[in-house]
Amino acid sequence: MQWWLYEKQKDAQNSGISLWLLIFIYVIVIAFFLFIRIATWPNEKHIDALFFLPAVVLPFLIITALVCLVNTFKSAQIYYAEMRKFIALSQEYHLKEYARQNIIIAGWSMITPLEQPALNMLKLEGEFPLAPKTPLKITQHQEFECTRNEQVFFRLVEPLAAKLKSHSYRGLKTMLWVREADESCCDELRRILKQFDIQNGKDYQIEYLSECPDYSLINSWVEQSNACGITHLLLIVDIYGDDSASKSMDNACAFLLTDRFIQIESEKPIYLYHPMVGVSDIEAKVPVYLHTEPVTAPKTLWYTGLSRAEKYPLFKALDKKKLAPDRLDIEASLGARSAGYRWLALALAADAVKYAQGGQLVAVSENNQFSITALSSSLPPQQDDFIGFEHAQPWLFGGMSGFLLMLSFWIFQLSFFDSKEPFSLWGFIACSVAPLIMGSIIGIFATWHSSKRARDDMGW
């Protein structure tokens, strides 16, 4: 899905024929035919229905047929404008439906060297250290039986263990990324999962990610959730070695993402909406994302890795929409950007939603690949069903014009039928059907051409 919208489309310029002028034309033409009919009507013959057929009905039908023919082309112009509006509204409707798609964060956990970082960053309690006080490292326990990674996995899995063991989240798929590690850490995670008696398919199948994933991973899961039930456990371990010099803070996160959240007691789901990822033109695309309103009134923006060229267009769009008045720069509090900060920001935003801080936005960037997503504890309102535009299409006027001309031919034949020289059957059929076919062809072509021109001009 492309995050863009059309400009507001102009209404059709409908300069229709004046009703009074049309009535005047009808009156003048019918009066003229009546005068001719009176002048040519035999004196000894009584006035009957045949008197009025060519004098009133025939000119009425011919004028109406010509009006319908003119309306075929005028309607084509209106149809062109309405088709453009339909395409623009259709794009907006489908984009909003796309933005409303989500996956549920059923559970999450994070490890940092700080106590309750989300609360402190939201200034609800305590003070949060600024970047000069970092880097901060997660405390490691010196245990012979347990590796460094296993300690981290244990602390990440423990808060989620009860849910992971639930039958509601069977068929769990696990994905793992660990800084400066290799696939051998999957075995360490398996051992921890076995300690908690968590079943994860055949032999704890775990997919190791060679690079820290971005939010496009969420998009793929959102799209999968539309077709079948999914449950994913994602672990991100962004911890530097003891001997590694770092300007970033150690952090690790785990997310349980699903499309079938099981509500327990007062727990509410947290909806993670379709992220907009890989954006290069922030100034043009971000206002479109905000326009879709997956979160009605986001209160806070968490961001990391944004350059000036990305940050200020984003802030400008937020100010224009009067959204997310609070902006929290992760690097200003936690130190230089690291690959795991995008997921830490997501976990902090999820905490903020849990702390009843309302909807949250998360914006991240790495290598000029901007991404933004929204979290909320509630779904946006369902859109009204989208219906096409209601406008008399040109083919209808063309067909009506042909039908009226066919009736006119029948009235003419009935009025001036000569029994001595009867009209041949095939000639009668041909002359009857020809106006109907020609009118319909003109109307159908006008409809097709208007629609094609609108689609071409809109690039649809």
Side-chain angles (χ1 to χ4, degrees):
M1 175 62 72
Q2 295 293 321
W3 293 94
W4 56 272
L5 293 172
Y6 293 103
E7 296 179 355
K8 183 176 177 59
Q9 299 299 307
K10 297 179 180 179
D11 292 330
Q13 299 297 323
N14 185 15
S15 55
I17 302 174
S18 169
L19 179 61
W20 292 110
L21 175 61
L22 198 59
I23 293 174
F24 178 75
I25 292 173
Y26 271 103
V27 170
I28 292 298
V29 172
I30 291 174
F32 176 75
F33 273 77
L34 271 173
F35 175 77
I36 294 176
R37 190 61 168 167
I38 292 172
T40 58
W41 188 256
N43 293 330
E44 69 281 359
K45 191 174 182 179
H46 294 289
I47 294 176
D48 53 16
L50 287 177
F51 175 86
F52 293 100
L53 283 179
V56 178
V57 178
L58 183 61
F60 178 84
L61 290 176
I62 293 175
I63 295 173
T64 307
L66 293 176
V67 169
C68 286
L69 187 62
V70 172
N71 275 336
T72 301
F73 299 101
K74 293 184 69 64
S75 176
Q77 296 177 352
I78 299 173
Y79 186 77
Y80 167 78
E82 291 296 324
M83 176 60 75
R84 287 179 63 105
K85 289 167 64 176
F86 171 80
I87 291 172
L89 290 173
S90 177
Q91 170 71 3
E92 180 177 339
Y93 176 85
H94 289 106
L95 186 56
K96 285 187 175 182
E97 283 298 303
Y98 182 80
R100 286 184 82 258
Q101 294 177 8
N102 59 79
I103 196 168
I104 296 171
I105 306 180
W108 68 97
S109 62
M110 73 177 98
I111 308 174
T112 69
L114 306 162
E115 294 294 331
Q116 298 180 314
L119 280 174
N120 290 327
M121 289 189 77
L122 291 167
K123 300 178 183 177
L124 297 179
E125 58 181 52
E127 292 183 0
F128 202 80
L130 295 177
K133 297 184 181 180
T134 57
L136 296 173
K137 294 207 172 190
I138 295 173
T139 304
Q140 301 291 317
H141 300 290
Q142 300 299 323
E143 297 182 13
F144 182 77
E145 297 90 356
C146 201
T147 66
R148 170 176 170 269
N149 285 336
E150 286 176 340
Q151 290 182 40
V152 174
F153 296 153
F154 185 91
R155 293 170 62 182
L156 285 175
V157 172
E158 186 177 24
L160 304 175
K163 283 187 176 179
L164 295 175
K165 288 190 290 187
S166 168
H167 290 281
S168 304
Y169 299 115
R170 290 289 183 182
L172 180 68
K173 296 182 180 179
T174 302
M175 305 184 79
L176 171 66
W177 176 79
V178 180
R179 176 179 290 280
E180 300 174 357
D182 54 33
E183 293 188 13
S184 62
C185 61
C186 293
D187 294 328
E188 297 173 303
L189 178 57
R190 286 190 184 95
R191 288 194 289 270
I192 297 301
L193 292 173
K194 285 182 179 179
Q195 285 186 32
F196 289 103
D197 192 27
I198 296 170
Q199 301 299 317
N200 184 24
K202 275 190 178 181
D203 193 27
Y204 302 102
Q205 292 182 356
I206 299 170
E207 181 181 350
Y208 179 76
L209 304 171
S210 58
E211 295 183 359
C212 184
D214 59 17
Y215 291 163
S216 60
L217 188 67
I218 298 173
N219 273 342
S220 65
W221 291 342
V222 170
E223 289 163 7
Q224 288 176 30
S225 68
N226 294 332
C228 58
I230 62 162
T231 301
H232 282 282
L233 176 63
L234 174 66
L235 289 91
I236 304 294
V237 180
D238 188 18
I239 297 179
Y240 294 80
D242 293 334
D243 300 330
S244 302
S246 171
K247 295 181 180 179
S248 304
M249 184 188 76
D250 282 353
N251 64 92
C253 300
F255 298 90
L256 176 59
L257 298 132
T258 182
D259 60 351
R260 50 179 189 275
F261 180 76
I262 307 302
Q263 190 164 335
I264 302 172
E265 296 179 358
S266 61
E267 188 179 16
K268 293 182 179 180
I270 292 183
Y271 300 99
L272 173 57
Y273 292 99
H274 238 310
M276 181 175 70
V277 298
V279 179
S280 56
D281 189 355
I282 296 175
E283 197 162 2
K285 300 294 178 66
V286 166
V288 175
Y289 182 84
L290 298 176
H291 173 78
T292 60
E293 296 179 354
V295 177
T296 306
K299 182 179 179 182
T300 306
L301 167 71
W302 308 76
Y303 64 94
T304 175
L306 301 188
S307 65
R308 288 186 178 182
E310 295 166 331
K311 188 185 303 182
Y312 294 114
L314 172 60
F315 287 175
K316 180 180 177 183
L318 290 171
D319 290 336
K320 189 173 182 180
K321 288 282 184 180
K322 298 180 180 179
L323 299 175
D326 298 327
R327 289 90 190 258
L328 298 177
D329 187 345
I330 302 295
E331 287 93 274
S333 296
L334 306 179
R337 175 184 56 82
S338 73
Y341 275 1
R342 73 189 75 163
W343 298 102
L344 178 61
L346 201 61
L348 295 173
D351 269 2
V353 175
K354 183 178 70 174
Y355 296 144
Q357 293 298 297
Q360 306 285 305
L361 286 173
V362 179
V364 301
S365 180
E366 186 177 18
N367 300 326
N368 297 320
Q369 292 297 310
F370 178 87
S371 301
I372 187 170
T373 191
L375 294 86
S376 176
S377 61
S378 60
L379 290 168
Q382 179 69 44
Q383 293 191 93
D384 295 333
D385 291 336
F386 182 70
I387 57 174
F389 60 92
E390 297 179 1
H391 170 67
Q393 298 185 10
W395 65 264
L396 183 62
F397 286 107
M400 184 61 69
S401 174
F403 178 73
L404 292 174
L405 287 176
M406 182 179 71
L407 288 181
S408 301
F409 175 75
W410 289 352
I411 297 296
F412 179 82
Q413 288 297 314
L414 184 61
S415 301
F416 304 103
F417 178 73
D418 189 350
S419 58
K420 295 180 180 180
E421 296 182 8
F423 208 79
S424 69
L425 178 62
W426 289 111
F428 180 82
I429 294 174
C431 292
S432 298
V433 175
L436 180 61
I437 294 176
M438 287 301 298
S440 299
I441 290 174
I442 291 172
I444 291 170
F445 177 79
T447 304
W448 172 81
H449 183 263
S450 301
S451 177
K452 182 179 183 300
R453 189 160 67 95
R455 292 177 186 276
D456 291 344
D457 291 350
M458 299 289 280
W460 186 253

